[in-house]
Amino acid sequence: MEHAIRKHCKVSADDDPVFYKSMSDKLDEIIKKHSDKWEQMALRLQSLRDEILQGRGPNAKVEDPFLDLIISLAFKEGDLAAQIDRVKETVVVIMDDLNGYIGNLDFWERDDLVAELQGKIKKRFILSRVEALKQHRELLATEVVALARRREKEILGINASD
């Protein structure tokens, strides 16, 4: 079961990097803590498997993976608590931008539009009045656009079965 969980986390990591990193960390913790207690480990692994399959849960928002990614990249140090509201506001505006751009016909094949979107996202980080977002705007814009490419259907509200 350990290998199946690890593989699932590795394969799915690009779709929600922060969530699957936390699941991978939990897996490592379970293995370390229960290495000599097979029954306990099996129970914990089953519980972790269920948690992974549930994902972020029924109350998850489309922007959650983006918010978590931005926070993980920009706030390695420093006080996020005082700025979290501005970060969340910035993510909401960026999600609107993503939704407006990626719905264009053949968007991902149109380098000019992708570059325009990336520039707009950088500008959002600059205008956010959050120093960490300004400082990391290049990396953040690149990673947000890459995540948007992988999560296009969720952003546009398209069900996987459509």
Side-chain angles (χ1 to χ4, degrees):
M1 192 179 309
E2 168 196 348
H3 296 293
I5 292 172
R6 196 171 302 283
K7 182 175 180 177
H8 182 77
C9 287
K10 186 176 181 178
V11 168
S12 303
D14 288 342
D15 294 332
D16 194 344
V18 177
F19 175 77
Y20 285 104
K21 168 83 170 89
S22 71
M23 295 298 110
S24 184
D25 291 348
K26 284 183 179 184
L27 174 62
D28 292 340
E29 184 181 318
I30 289 169
I31 292 167
K32 189 167 113 179
K33 186 175 179 181
H34 300 289
S35 62
D36 56 346
K37 304 171 199 147
W38 290 98
E39 289 180 22
Q40 272 297 88
M41 185 186 302
L43 290 171
R44 299 284 187 249
L45 289 175
Q46 182 62 45
S47 177
L48 179 61
R49 179 186 170 277
D50 294 343
E51 185 178 349
I52 290 170
L53 290 175
Q54 181 182 4
R56 289 182 173 266
N59 297 325
K61 298 176 189 164
V62 173
E63 64 265 17
D64 290 349
F66 293 89
L67 177 63
D68 289 347
L69 178 65
I70 290 166
I71 290 170
S72 74
L73 294 172
F75 292 93
K76 300 201 185 292
E77 332 166 330
D79 185 18
L80 169 65
Q83 301 172 3
I84 190 66
D85 289 336
R86 284 189 186 153
V87 174
K88 286 179 179 179
E89 290 168 8
T90 302
V91 170
V92 167
V93 173
I94 288 171
M95 294 307 295
D96 288 341
D97 292 338
L98 291 172
N99 197 7
Y101 273 82
I102 66 176
N104 286 312
L105 183 64
D106 296 328
F107 172 75
W108 296 112
E109 286 75 38
R110 298 180 61 190
D111 293 338
D112 59 325
L113 286 180
V114 174
E116 186 179 316
L117 172 62
Q118 198 158 356
K120 192 167 197 168
I121 291 171
K122 285 180 206 173
K123 187 175 179 181
R124 298 290 187 199
F125 289 130
I126 291 168
L127 297 174
S128 70
R129 298 175 300 164
V130 177
E131 192 57 37
L133 298 182
K134 289 181 199 178
Q135 288 178 352
H136 297 92
R137 67 184 173 269
E138 294 288 334
L139 172 64
L140 293 173
T142 300
E143 293 299 320
V144 165
V145 170
L147 185 57
R149 185 177 202 138
R150 293 185 297 272
R151 299 188 66 90
E152 177 179 11
K153 289 182 180 178
E154 291 89 351
I155 293 168
L156 296 175
I158 300 171
N159 292 330
S161 59
D162 287 351

